[in-house]
Amino acid sequence: MKTSKFLSITALCLLFTTLYSCKSNNTENAVENKTDISADKLSQIKSLGFSTDNIRKVGEGYLVEGDILLTEDNLTETSTGANLNIAETEQYRTTNVVKSLPRVVTISVTNLPQVYSDAVNTMISRYNSLGLRLTFQRASGSAKGNIDIVGFNEGPSGGFITLGSSGFPTSSGAPFNQVKMNTNAAAYGANPNLLYLASVLQHEVGHCIGFRHTDYMNRAFSCGSSGAGNEGASNVGAVRIPGTPSSPDAASFMLACSNGGNRTFNANDVIAMNYLYK
């Protein structure tokens, strides 16, 4: 997710793995860095339906559209499900979701300040309060969890700053295994707000278990004109979740850009969560 110098925050989605880049109008676009990406690779990413604007090469792959991490596996995997693009603001999931339910997903926190760890506990409580067959708990001791929350330090660039990032589930049904959170003071301030951190974590974990942005068809809904555009179905899929609204849903936790504050599940998010994991 990224935050812009203006007032909006955008969240990023990743193929198997999504990186949550929030912006805070505050948007979630990554810093442009195409110099180390070949023309063939850019063409491949574009052919999958992802924008190559502001694309960046990172250690795990390619960060696109603010908070979506595309790995090499993501780029070569064949889609196995239908891609339904129906309305602009309904909840969408990826083709891959977490399998083998009921399932407990463990969460670890590696080398992050205490407030991030506390925010992870809040995020876990929010998910577990839904009474789903997919639940979360902290990993034991120093063990690495199914999802590891790690830090990176990156300042603003081009008026935006990335808040966090993550990816999508694997084809075998495992959640994406990492969420990255920005520890730079420009992202959350010198004294990060726990509920704000928990909201970004909640969004990024949403990507890890298969959710795309609620407004993926037109990110301008939450990001403003600077974030306008269709993120594309790609081979990761954009499958509409039945029962979610076809009209704008301003409070969804999976909107592409964050509002810069506390945002948790709204009623339609709960419908979507129940549809996938009840």
Side-chain angles (χ1 to χ4, degrees), residues 12-15 18-19 62-70:
L12 302 176
C13 292
L14 168 61
L15 204 38
T18 354
L19 294 181
Y62 305 91
L63 190 61
V64 302
E65 297 173 0
D67 71 342
I68 298 173
L69 174 61
L70 300 179

Side-chain angles (χ1 to χ4, degrees), residues 23-152:
K23 300 179 183 180
S24 188
N25 285 26
N26 288 352
T27 69
E28 60 177 335
N29 292 327
V31 178
E32 185 170 3
N33 182 12
K34 296 183 183 178
T35 58
D36 56 351
I37 304 175
S38 70
D40 286 346
K41 189 64 66 176
L42 290 171
S43 178
Q44 181 183 14
I45 292 169
K46 188 172 183 178
S47 71
L48 293 176
F50 291 97
S51 171
T52 57
D53 292 340
N54 300 317
I55 188 174
R56 183 174 54 174
K57 180 71 174 72
V58 295
E60 303 87 343
Y62 305 91
L63 190 61
V64 302
E65 297 173 0
D67 71 342
I68 298 173
L69 174 61
L70 300 179
T71 65
E72 290 294 342
D73 287 342
N74 293 153
L75 297 180
T76 58
E77 184 184 27
T78 301
S79 177
T80 58
N83 298 330
L84 305 178
N85 303 336
I86 297 177
E88 293 195 356
T89 53
E90 294 176 286
Q91 273 85 342
Y92 290 86
R93 66 169 175 86
T94 55
T95 302
N96 296 328
V97 295
V98 178
K99 300 176 183 177
S100 300
L101 304 177
R103 184 169 186 164
V104 177
V105 174
T106 57
I107 309 286
S108 55
V109 179
T110 301
N111 298 326
L112 280 169
Q114 184 61 43
V115 66
Y116 288 78
S117 181
D118 293 342
V120 167
N121 292 338
T122 298
M123 177 272 294
I124 288 174
S125 295
R126 289 177 174 182
Y127 274 101
N128 289 349
S129 69
L130 299 179
L132 306 174
R133 291 189 296 156
L134 181 68
T135 57
F136 299 85
Q137 69 179 32
R138 291 291 291 263
S140 301
S142 60
K144 182 169 290 188
N146 303 129
I147 300 174
D148 191 28
I149 314 296
V150 302
F152 69 99

Side-chain angles (χ1 to χ4, degrees), residues 179-216:
V179 169
K180 290 186 174 181
M181 297 291 287
N182 197 350
T183 58
N184 191 282
Y188 300 103
N191 297 296
N193 179 274
L194 184 147
L195 295 180
Y196 183 20
L197 288 176
S199 298
V200 174
L201 284 161
Q202 182 179 337
H203 175 106
E204 294 300 346
V205 169
H207 285 313
C208 292
I209 63 173
F211 282 91
R212 293 203 61 167
H213 292 145
T214 305
D215 53 346
Y216 103 99

Side-chain angles (χ1 to χ4, degrees), residues 162-183:
T162 298
L163 300 179
S165 65
S166 64
F168 297 136
T170 67
S171 57
S172 64
F176 187 61
N177 63 5
Q178 188 179 80
V179 169
K180 290 186 174 181
M181 297 291 287
N182 197 350
T183 58

Side-chain angles (χ1 to χ4, degrees), residues 221-244:
F221 179 70
S222 65
C223 304
S225 59
S226 64
N230 184 325
E231 294 179 359
S234 179
N235 56 351
V236 70
V239 182
R240 185 184 66 86
I241 298 176
T244 58

